[in-house]
Amino acid sequence: LDRLMVAEGRKPEPGADGFVKYSFVTSLSAGKAEEDGHLDFHERGLVNNTSEGMAVAAVIAPTEGTPGMTVSGGELSAKPGKKARLPAAGAGVVLSEDETEYRSTVEGHATLVGNRIQVTRELKIGSDIDYTTGNIDFVGDLVVSGMVQSGFS
């Protein structure tokens, strides 16, 4: 028996949700991977230096999706993606009027605190500079409550 296709349809593909893409590290790493494969535990990426006017995050729009087709040739609408939940613009940060980009208004350290992006000119380390923090290279004012341990800067 030969098979004969008499009708064919296509499922609609839903759109991708929008999201916020940060231009800075939002979580501490274990260390920096070196070319030879080992991790440098002195470089943890705690500080996200920014300059005034620098983009610190971009809002990526959702996509519409791809419509499907019924077996009789009719169009099946696709479910569009959801808009990104936008973080608040905290101290030292502004959201563009078209809500597509966050920019730093000061030179400092960019962080994501809860659901808020902020850039501060002062960085407070409430402990020693050691393997917990890694090396600190900061463009603003640095306040360290503890000591800078041997081998760290």
Side-chain angles (χ1 to χ4, degrees), residues 89-132:
V93 175
V94 293
L95 177 60
S96 63
E97 284 187 33
D98 63 359
E99 297 188 337
T100 60
E101 187 175 63
Y102 291 84
R103 288 199 170 272
S104 174
T105 60
V106 296
E107 182 178 72
H109 169 62
T111 55
L112 181 63
V113 180
N115 193 37
R116 182 182 45 158
I117 302 170
Q118 65 184 23
V119 176
T120 55
R121 292 181 186 181
E122 182 178 82
L123 177 60
K124 293 181 182 180
I125 305 293
S127 64
D128 290 348
I129 303 293
D130 58 15
Y131 288 108
T132 306

Side-chain angles (χ1 to χ4, degrees), residues 3 40-41 54 56 66 84 86 104 107 130 135 137 147 152:
R3 292 183 180 213
D40 181 354
F41 295 109
M54 181 177 164
V56 292
T66 305
L86 299 182
S104 174
E107 182 178 72
D130 58 15
N135 290 330
D137 179 17
M147 304 290 292
F152 289 88

Side-chain angles (χ1 to χ4, degrees), residues 6-137:
V6 284
E8 181 179 35
R10 187 176 63 247
K11 286 176 142 180
E13 293 184 29
D17 291 343
F19 60 96
V20 177
K21 183 176 181 180
Y22 298 97
S23 303
F24 58 93
V25 178
T26 58
S27 61
L28 205 57
S29 69
K32 180 181 176 186
E34 297 293 335
E35 287 183 21
D36 64 2
H38 85 277
L39 282 179
D40 181 354
F41 295 109
H42 289 89
E43 302 300 330
R44 305 244 3 239
L46 176 70
V47 179
N48 298 298
N49 285 312
T50 63
S51 57
E52 185 177 343
M54 181 177 164
V56 292
V59 179
I60 308 302
T63 62
E64 293 298 317
T66 305
M69 183 178 65
T70 65
V71 292
S72 58
E75 186 175 291
L76 294 171
S77 60
K79 183 178 176 183
K82 297 176 186 172
K83 283 182 122 178
R85 181 172 174 240
L86 299 182
V93 175
V94 293
L95 177 60
S96 63
E97 284 187 33
D98 63 359
E99 297 188 337
T100 60
E101 187 175 63
Y102 291 84
R103 288 199 170 272
S104 174
T105 60
V106 296
E107 182 178 72
H109 169 62
T111 55
L112 181 63
V113 180
N115 193 37
R116 182 182 45 158
I117 302 170
Q118 65 184 23
V119 176
T120 55
R121 292 181 186 181
E122 182 178 82
L123 177 60
K124 293 181 182 180
I125 305 293
S127 64
D128 290 348
I129 303 293
D130 58 15
Y131 288 108
T132 306
T133 62
N135 290 330
I136 305 293
D137 179 17

